[in-house]
């Protein structure tokens, strides 16, 4: 078992890490070229729907509905393309944090706190850490699956 001081040190280090990850995502977002196309396609889909074209909207692109849905929602709310891109980065960050919590609390409840911590460390050492400041949708998909 962990001592009280060691637990406090772990939580403090984890909080500092989360703050650094969040600031990096906010101030240094990595906008993927494919995501720019996805956001443009989302706008084109809304134009098609506005024209009453429910089928044959070839401008809609080739992205799957799960990838398009957040962009469509953000565009419907009124965000610009750049705003949608930033929101997609924030959505990835939030999804990653949700995934960390899901892994930790599930493993802690089903097994032990040590295994929960190990699960968090594995996730922090994975490519998902990089995705937290990117517009790729992997963190959202992984969180939805978890």
């Amino acid at each position: 078992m962990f001592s009280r001081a060691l637990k406090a040190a772990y939580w403090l280090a984890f909080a500092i890490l989360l703050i650094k990850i969040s600031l990096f995502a906010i101030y240094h977002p990595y906008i993927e070229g494919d995501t720019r196309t996805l956001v443009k396609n989302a706008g084109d889909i809304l134009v098609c729907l506005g024209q009453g074209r429910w089928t044959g909207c070839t401008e809609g692109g080739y992205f799957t509905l799960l990838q398009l849905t957040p962009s469509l929602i953000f565009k419907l709310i009124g965000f610009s393309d750049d705003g949608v891109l930033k929101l997609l980065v924030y959505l990835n960050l939030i999804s990653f944090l949700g995934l960390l919590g899901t892994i930790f609390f599930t493993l802690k409840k089903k097994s032990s706190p040590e295994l929960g911590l190990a699960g968090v460390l594995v996730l922090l050492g994975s490519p998902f850490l990089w995705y937290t400041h990117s517009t790729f949708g992997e963190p959202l998909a992984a969180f939805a699956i978890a």
Side-chain angles (χ1 to χ4, degrees), residues 15-35:
I16 291 169
L17 178 66
L18 292 183
I19 291 168
K20 289 186 82 119
I21 291 169
S22 300
L23 291 173
F24 190 65
I26 292 167
Y27 293 109
H28 302 287
Y30 185 74
I31 310 297
E32 303 289 340
D34 278 359
T35 313

Side-chain angles (χ1 to χ4, degrees), residues 3-64:
S3 71
R4 185 177 211 139
L6 190 56
K7 282 183 183 178
Y10 281 137
W11 282 110
L12 179 62
F14 185 66
I16 291 169
L17 178 66
L18 292 183
I19 291 168
K20 289 186 82 119
I21 291 169
S22 300
L23 291 173
F24 190 65
I26 292 167
Y27 293 109
H28 302 287
Y30 185 74
I31 310 297
E32 303 289 340
D34 278 359
T35 313
R36 288 188 187 282
T37 303
L38 177 130
V39 171
K40 181 191 173 308
N41 290 158
D44 293 341
I45 288 171
L46 293 176
V47 168
C48 287
L49 293 175
Q51 295 171 348
R53 292 174 37 206
W54 293 88
T55 61
C57 181
T58 57
E59 305 87 17
Y62 53 85
F63 294 98
T64 64

Side-chain angles (χ1 to χ4, degrees), residues 95-113:
S95 298
F96 178 76
L97 297 177
L99 191 57
L100 283 175
T102 300
I103 286 175
F104 177 74
F105 289 111
T106 301
L107 291 175
K108 180 181 170 188
K109 182 176 181 172
K110 297 291 183 181
S111 183
S112 68

Side-chain angles (χ1 to χ4, degrees), residues 34-134:
D34 278 359
T35 313
R36 288 188 187 282
T37 303
L38 177 130
V39 171
K40 181 191 173 308
N41 290 158
D44 293 341
I45 288 171
L46 293 176
V47 168
C48 287
L49 293 175
Q51 295 171 348
R53 292 174 37 206
W54 293 88
T55 61
C57 181
T58 57
E59 305 87 17
Y62 53 85
F63 294 98
T64 64
L65 189 57
L66 182 59
Q67 288 177 297
L68 279 167
T69 301
S71 296
L72 286 168
I73 291 169
F74 295 147
K75 293 287 284 179
L76 280 170
I77 292 172
F79 286 97
S80 67
D81 286 0
D82 287 336
V84 171
L85 291 167
K86 288 179 185 175
L87 285 170
L88 290 173
V89 172
Y90 303 156
L91 186 60
N92 278 343
L93 175 64
I94 291 167
S95 298
F96 178 76
L97 297 177
L99 191 57
L100 283 175
T102 300
I103 286 175
F104 177 74
F105 289 111
T106 301
L107 291 175
K108 180 181 170 188
K109 182 176 181 172
K110 297 291 183 181
S111 183
S112 68
E114 293 81 7
L115 191 58
L117 179 61
V120 166
L121 291 175
V122 167
L123 190 61
L124 287 171
S126 75
F128 281 104
L129 184 61
W130 184 83
Y131 288 136
T132 59
H133 86 291
S134 161

